Amino acid sequence: MRAYNFSAGPAVLPLPVLEQARDELIEWRGGASVMEVSHRGRDFMAVAERAEADLRDLLAIPSNYRVLFMQGGATIQFAAVPMNLAAAGAPADYVHTGHWSERAIKEGRRFVSAAVIADEAESAYTTVPDRAQVQPRRGSAYLHYTPNETIGGVEFPYVPEAGDVPLVADMSSTILSRPIEVSRFGLIYAGAQKNIGPSGIAVVIVRDDLARGARPGTPSVLDYRAVAEAGSMLNTPPTFAWYFAGLVFQWLKREGGVAEMARRNRAKAAALYAAIEASSFYSSPVAKHCRSWMNVPFRLAKPDLEQTFLAEADDAGLTHLAGHRSVGGMRASLYNAMPIEGVHALVGFMADFERRYG
Ligand SMILES: *Cc1c(COP(=O)(O)O)cnc(C)c1O
């Protein structure tokens, strides 16, 4: 019996995709597993090409952007971005909205002169800065921000205006959850394990002029130009993760693409936030205008009941609802593969729990 898995990442994957991967696990094209064949062979090359084509299609990625499949998760992009987009010690701007942007800033400081142009510390990272506050400095190498903070559950309701400064977005926990206008970004990156597939691979969507060669000293596997020229196969890629991501892209297309995902994700988030709002037993720490569709943190009016809540939820088949260890409370992640039925089950459980303990 599969539970409704609200894990923040690695996270729920679409059941039809898991079933397809299971059916193909041992004998895939030509009688071997996809994990057992060369990444440079015809069969895997076809997988790689189709995955890129489908992702381009899903996000309407313009032709002047390269799509890279890289290793090292989103975390290595915290370093790869400055190494590719900025000279050593050059100015680069960051927006600080919580845990993941802080990690990007800390790593960025090893490579650039990073300025935090907006910091939501005063709100304890429960909101995002106003549009007008997010202004990059003239001559900055890039402006980095985190459209969705996976731990804090705050999400930008707008795309910052960066003018001539390339806008860089860590979309790890929001990519493919809705349509985006890729041309507004210089670079988008995302670790796979939230909304794309298994961990072990990351997607980078980078405008041509930002992939013209990294600074001296950059390892070739982190140099966007070198990776692009090698078709993301400078070395052996994580073939299973890439294959699986490709199956997820096909599933997304069959389901109606990112516009349909947006419709479903909006409805799922609305149902859960409505339940939280309707009760004085549950509360959301996040400002209303920037509540995430993907990661919904919430608290109990009686925090000493948290462990009971989590244990009973688990027994009811609603799993991985504990908030990040740094913040506590609860968090329900509602990625594309979480069906609305899972949210209804959670809302029903919450109402029942409140009746019994409220
Ligand atoms: C999970 C996450 C990361 C880290 O991803 P790794 O693949 O573990 O490096 C970075 N940024 C955001 C927004 C995330 O959600």
Side-chain angles (χ1 to χ4, degrees):
M1 244 296 281
R2 266 173 76 76
Y4 288 120
N5 168 14
F6 294 93
S7 171
V12 58
L13 294 165
L15 182 57
V17 174
L18 286 165
E19 288 169 339
Q20 183 177 352
R22 175 197 62 199
D23 293 346
E24 296 178 347
L25 188 67
I26 294 172
E27 283 176 62
W28 177 73
R29 308 179 189 173
S33 168
V34 67
M35 286 180 278
E36 299 173 303
V37 299
S38 169
H39 53 295
R40 301 194 192 281
R42 194 194 49 203
D43 288 336
F44 192 80
M45 288 297 281
V47 166
E49 280 161 22
R50 168 123 193 235
E52 176 175 339
D54 284 339
L55 182 61
R56 283 185 174 279
D57 207 21
L58 282 163
L59 290 178
I61 300 173
S63 59
N64 63 323
Y65 285 74
R66 303 274 74 83
V67 174
L68 312 177
F69 291 86
M70 295 178 69
Q71 299 178 55
T75 300
I76 216 153
Q77 298 304 322
F78 298 161
V81 165
M83 294 180 100
N84 280 271
L85 271 55
D93 294 345
Y94 286 81
V95 181
H96 189 343
T97 48
H99 178 94
W100 288 113
S101 44
E102 181 173 13
R103 291 276 302 269
I105 293 162
K106 280 195 173 144
E107 187 74 356
R109 290 219 155 105
R110 300 163 60 116
F111 304 97
V112 286
S113 168
V116 176
I117 59 159
D119 188 331
E120 288 308 319
E122 211 167 284
S123 76
Y125 301 106
T126 57
T127 189
V128 298
D130 290 336
R131 203 187 273 266
Q133 272 177 273
V134 187
Q135 296 289 340
R137 295 173 297 170
R138 189 173 311 201
S140 186
Y142 57 84
L143 171 61
H144 180 284
Y145 84 117
T146 310
N148 183 70
E149 285 281 359
T150 320
I151 293 174
V154 299
E155 179 178 286
F156 279 76
Y158 63 89
V159 175
E161 258 337 310
D164 293 341
V165 173
L167 183 62
V168 175
D170 173 2
M171 288 202 189
S172 294
S173 50
T174 184
I175 194 165
L176 292 166
S177 67
R178 73 203 75 186
I180 51 169
E181 211 178 317
V182 173
S183 62
R184 298 185 66 177
F185 301 87
L187 186 148
I188 293 166
Y189 64 91
Q193 67 274 21
K194 278 95 185 203
N195 230 356
I196 295 179
S199 59
I201 200 161
V203 167
V204 177
I205 301 167
V206 56
R207 209 173 59 211
D208 275 340
D209 60 293
L210 301 174
R212 292 220 176 110
R215 66 168 70 171
T218 302
S220 51
V221 291
L222 295 187
D223 182 329
Y224 296 142
R225 182 174 69 179
V227 174
E229 282 173 357
S232 299
M233 293 193 192
L234 207 72
N235 70 321
T236 313
T239 49
F240 185 77
W242 197 337
Y243 150 86
F244 201 105
L247 297 186
V248 171
F249 299 154
Q250 291 170 33
W251 173 78
L252 284 169
K253 288 178 78 173
R254 288 199 302 277
E255 293 292 307
V258 289
E260 173 62 14
M261 288 304 128
R263 195 189 63 73
R264 294 182 193 177
N265 290 329
R266 185 196 296 275
K268 289 185 294 183
L272 183 49
Y273 286 118
I276 292 168
E277 283 302 304
S279 134
S280 52
F281 189 73
Y282 301 103
S283 64
S284 161
V286 179
K288 274 195 181 143
H289 71 289
C290 56
R291 287 180 176 173
S292 171
W293 290 6
M294 295 280 99
N295 311 98
V296 181
F298 61 95
R299 297 189 183 137
L300 305 187
K302 300 176 182 167
D304 46 326
L305 284 175
E306 272 176 21
Q307 290 314 314
T308 312
F309 180 96
L310 292 170
E312 291 196 11
D314 214 71
D315 287 343
L318 306 164
T319 67
H320 300 97
L321 282 162
H324 189 264
R325 59 186 190 279
S326 63
V327 293
M330 273 24 105
R331 172 178 49 171
S333 295
L334 312 178
Y335 300 119
N336 287 340
M338 171 57 63
I340 185 88
E341 291 77 14
V343 178
H344 290 154
L346 174 59
V347 165
F349 171 81
M350 288 165 67
D352 181 55
F353 189 86
E354 180 177 356
R355 258 191 305 279
R356 288 183 293 115
Y357 292 97

